[in-house]
Amino acid sequence: MTTTKFVLPESDIPTTWYNVVPDLPKGLPPMLHPGTREPITEADLAPLFASGLIAQEFSTERDVEIPGPVLDIYRQWRPSPLIRARRLERDLGTPARIYFKYEGVSPAGSHKPNTAVPQAYYSKLDGVRRLTTETGAGQWGSSLSMACAYFDLECDVFMVRVSYDQKPYRRGLMETFGATVTASPSDRTEAGRAVLAADPDSTGSLGLAISEAVEAAMQSGGSARYALGSVLNLVLMHQTIIGQEALLQLELAGDYPDVVVGAAGGGSNFAGLALPFLRRQFEGGPTVRFLAAEPSSCPSLTQGSYDYDFGDTAGLTPLAKMHTLGHDFRPPAIHAGGLRYHGMAPIVSALREVDLIEARAVPQTACFEAGVRFARSEGIVPAPESSHAVRVAIDEALRCRETGEEKAILFSLSGHGHFDMQAYIDYFAGKLTD
Ligand SMILES: *Cc1c(COP(=O)(O)O)cnc(C)c1O
């Protein structure tokens, strides 16, 4: 019998996260304070994040223990399955072996609860009452809303206006979990009011929604903190649960990847899958090609400069050294809302600088074409973000068909697209541009 789905028992859930920072060849440039431009301290971040999270952001420990209450919630859907895409392989006529790690089995439908749950947990430990955040497509907002419901915290979400209008069901999901959802730009913050004054029809951006959420947390007089769904070292670390499981699952399959692919918005699901394999490589294991897939309309890793920049539009956040298109970059309103971010995680950026990872920019329509092909063979409709990884994985498999190489390709199917069907409808109607 051939195995299609490699599943682990709950007892095999990894009990630590992997922190790559001590293993980075050139270390990580420090974040800088937005006012003084000096390296930020843990105390500088105290108004923004819970203490347990700040400690993790600065940690140089390689293996960080996952708290029991977080593991208990992970067990609701983890370990997630690793699936051999046998039907897609046949459809493509490729000698490559294609595997995907499917994070769409989480209740919110993506990998994002892997970090939403610990962020809510550590905030609760500190006596925080409310978490503020931004969301693009709504994947992060719904994940944090769910995590806040688990830990009895209020959740205050600034949702980028274009998605707020395009994706009412994601908004409905957040409200079901008990969150308050505000379209950004809003008149609740200085940052939002400034943009509305200049352009009352502004469709917003992730960078601006971050400014609003940060400002709302700082206005709270200490009762609220801010949560970020990607980019931060601690977020990438939380997501390494994905790659650690995949390592065990590929052992079950008796295989090892030649290529690892992930869609990269802020870089967390790509890194979460890739870093545990990179660790093996650092320890003398096989060399893997790591490919980050990003939209050609928001190409921070392939076209951005490697510079210090703000994480948000208004310049309220610390500056991080990262690949960036500039904090005032306004990405076009593509459907992969989770990839519309001007910057890239400092860790992913640092790995790109030393050529340990590669990046590919792919146009929107080619991604939907790949997503549809994937759905018709594997039965899962990819989130528009995830379809970027599907595109790059399929391209790799097609190259194998030409060369006859029998490569093992592993990619992250970071989420399902059940709340994104309007995007597919628009694609079929020929309404999408690249
Ligand atoms: C948010 C999101 C992404 C992109 O974010 P990363 O931090 O780069 O992982 C990719 N896929 C899905 C389904 C998402 O929701």
Side-chain angles (χ1 to χ4, degrees), residues 110-112 139 229-230 263-270 338-339 383 385-386 414-415:
S110 77
H111 64 291
K112 291 200 168 81
Q139 291 271 20
S230 187
S268 73
N269 90 90
F270 165 70
L339 306 185
E385 292 83 1
S386 313
S414 47

Side-chain angles (χ1 to χ4, degrees), residues 28 75 88 171 199 234 292 319 323 357 366 396 425-426 434:
L28 205 58
R75 281 193 195 94
L88 179 66
R171 194 189 338 146
D199 176 11
L234 70 98
L319 295 115
H323 285 87
I357 65 162
E396 284 296 307
I425 291 169
D426 290 351
D434 288 335

Side-chain angles (χ1 to χ4, degrees), residues 158-194:
F158 290 86
M159 186 173 191
V160 178
R161 165 61 76 178
V162 61
S163 296
Y164 186 92
D165 294 334
Q166 270 178 357
K167 305 198 165 163
Y169 295 147
R170 275 277 166 203
R171 194 189 338 146
L173 182 59
M174 289 184 261
E175 287 166 353
T176 303
F177 287 129
T180 307
V181 186
T182 306
S184 167
S186 81
D187 60 9
R188 285 179 52 195
T189 66
E190 262 179 53
R193 285 190 294 272

Side-chain angles (χ1 to χ4, degrees), residues 57-78:
E57 188 62 16
F58 285 88
S59 174
T60 52
E61 219 183 310
R62 214 169 250 108
D63 295 287
V64 174
E65 201 167 319
I66 305 176
V70 172
L71 277 175
D72 286 344
I73 293 176
Y74 278 176
R75 281 193 195 94
Q76 305 270 347
W77 69 90
R78 306 211 69 86

Side-chain angles (χ1 to χ4, degrees), residues 408-426:
I409 300 167
L410 167 65
F411 74 94
S412 162
L413 192 67
S414 47
H416 67 65
H418 293 177
F419 290 100
D420 303 283
M421 294 320 298
Q422 189 60 48
Y424 281 86
I425 291 169
D426 290 351

